[in-house]
Amino acid sequence: MNRRALLFAGFAVAAAAAAPVRAAPAEIRVILVGGPDCPPCVRWKREYLEAWVASPEFRQVIWEEVEAARFRDAYQERYWPGDLAPILKQIPRKSGAPRFLIVQAGRLVSNHLGVSKWANTLDDLRNLLG
């Protein structure tokens, strides 16, 4: 290796060491609660789902849907298996749909109800992602 290459390599290592380290957010999950018999849920999927799936935020989170045959049953424990069960316990009011939840490191950090609150959910998510 010549001296010039060695000098530039040294600068690159120093620059990398001085660069600010951005901590990755803890695992973030976005959960939609609803059902096929819920007109607002169907409307949300028709109007927003495609753009959501194509968004950069979508690629940074785990997306899950809790969907019961009847949306009024969506808050029954059987629809929240495994690692979703603790999330259900954190929801203070277990009714209504569509409900948008954001969970970070197992803790409910955002809880919005209704199609009109999707923008609030995205704002909360963008704040978490930095």
Side-chain angles (χ1 to χ4, degrees), residues 1-9:
M1 180 182 284
N2 64 34
R3 286 194 300 192
R4 179 179 280 170
L6 183 59
L7 181 64
F8 285 122

mmCIF file of all heavy atoms in Angstrom, residues 1-9:
data_model
loop_
_atom_site.group_PDB
_atom_site.id
_atom_site.type_symbol
_atom_site.label_atom_id
_atom_site.label_comp_id
_atom_site.label_asym_id
_atom_site.label_seq_id
_atom_site.Cartn_x
_atom_site.Cartn_y
_atom_site.Cartn_z
ATOM 1 N N MET A 1 0.858 -1.174 0.000
ATOM 2 C CA MET A 1 0.000 0.000 0.000
ATOM 3 C C MET A 1 0.899 1.232 0.000
ATOM 4 O O MET A 1 1.833 1.317 0.789
ATOM 5 C CB MET A 1 -0.897 -0.036 1.246
ATOM 6 C CG MET A 1 -1.830 1.124 1.348
ATOM 7 S SD MET A 1 -2.868 1.134 2.847
ATOM 8 C CE MET A 1 -4.070 -0.092 2.462
ATOM 9 N N ASN A 2 0.633 2.189 -0.865
ATOM 10 C CA ASN A 2 1.460 3.391 -0.889
ATOM 11 C C ASN A 2 1.038 4.342 0.224
ATOM 12 O O ASN A 2 0.006 4.185 0.853
ATOM 13 C CB ASN A 2 1.437 4.055 -2.271
ATOM 14 C CG ASN A 2 0.065 4.567 -2.649
ATOM 15 O OD1 ASN A 2 -0.691 5.004 -1.795
ATOM 16 N ND2 ASN A 2 -0.234 4.540 -3.937
ATOM 17 N N ARG A 3 1.875 5.359 0.425
ATOM 18 C CA ARG A 3 1.608 6.290 1.533
ATOM 19 C C ARG A 3 0.308 7.061 1.342
ATOM 20 O O ARG A 3 -0.399 7.332 2.300
ATOM 21 C CB ARG A 3 2.773 7.259 1.704
ATOM 22 C CG ARG A 3 3.968 6.601 2.331
ATOM 23 C CD ARG A 3 4.962 7.588 2.787
ATOM 24 N NE ARG A 3 5.446 8.402 1.667
ATOM 25 C CZ ARG A 3 6.484 9.196 1.742
ATOM 26 N NH1 ARG A 3 7.164 9.286 2.852
ATOM 27 N NH2 ARG A 3 6.863 9.916 0.715
ATOM 28 N N ARG A 4 -0.008 7.421 0.126
ATOM 29 C CA ARG A 4 -1.245 8.176 -0.140
ATOM 30 C C ARG A 4 -2.458 7.333 0.240
ATOM 31 O O ARG A 4 -3.371 7.816 0.912
ATOM 32 C CB ARG A 4 -1.335 8.589 -1.595
ATOM 33 C CG ARG A 4 -2.610 9.352 -1.889
ATOM 34 C CD ARG A 4 -2.698 9.795 -3.304
ATOM 35 N NE ARG A 4 -1.876 10.989 -3.444
ATOM 36 C CZ ARG A 4 -1.568 11.554 -4.587
ATOM 37 N NH1 ARG A 4 -1.968 11.023 -5.707
ATOM 38 N NH2 ARG A 4 -0.840 12.642 -4.629
ATOM 39 N N ALA A 5 -2.500 6.072 -0.153
ATOM 40 C CA ALA A 5 -3.621 5.190 0.172
ATOM 41 C C ALA A 5 -3.719 5.004 1.683
ATOM 42 O O ALA A 5 -4.810 4.988 2.258
ATOM 43 C CB ALA A 5 -3.465 3.850 -0.527
ATOM 44 N N LEU A 6 -2.561 4.856 2.327
ATOM 45 C CA LEU A 6 -2.544 4.688 3.776
ATOM 46 C C LEU A 6 -3.073 5.941 4.472
ATOM 47 O O LEU A 6 -3.855 5.861 5.416
ATOM 48 C CB LEU A 6 -1.113 4.379 4.244
ATOM 49 C CG LEU A 6 -0.934 4.095 5.726
ATOM 50 C CD1 LEU A 6 -1.777 2.892 6.136
ATOM 51 C CD2 LEU A 6 0.529 3.848 6.043
ATOM 52 N N LEU A 7 -2.677 7.115 3.970
ATOM 53 C CA LEU A 7 -3.145 8.375 4.537
ATOM 54 C C LEU A 7 -4.665 8.510 4.412
ATOM 55 O O LEU A 7 -5.359 8.842 5.369
ATOM 56 C CB LEU A 7 -2.442 9.550 3.848
ATOM 57 C CG LEU A 7 -2.803 10.939 4.347
ATOM 58 C CD1 LEU A 7 -2.370 11.128 5.796
ATOM 59 C CD2 LEU A 7 -2.149 11.993 3.470
ATOM 60 N N PHE A 8 -5.216 8.217 3.210
ATOM 61 C CA PHE A 8 -6.664 8.299 3.011
ATOM 62 C C PHE A 8 -7.413 7.270 3.839
ATOM 63 O O PHE A 8 -8.481 7.544 4.358
ATOM 64 C CB PHE A 8 -7.019 8.160 1.524
ATOM 65 C CG PHE A 8 -6.710 9.392 0.736
ATOM 66 C CD1 PHE A 8 -5.858 9.340 -0.353
ATOM 67 C CD2 PHE A 8 -7.240 10.622 1.097
ATOM 68 C CE1 PHE A 8 -5.559 10.477 -1.073
ATOM 69 C CE2 PHE A 8 -6.945 11.768 0.378
ATOM 70 C CZ PHE A 8 -6.090 11.696 -0.711
ATOM 71 N N ALA A 9 -6.845 6.105 3.993
ATOM 72 C CA ALA A 9 -7.478 5.081 4.832
ATOM 73 C C ALA A 9 -7.543 5.566 6.279
ATOM 74 O O ALA A 9 -8.538 5.375 6.970
ATOM 75 C CB ALA A 9 -6.723 3.763 4.729
#
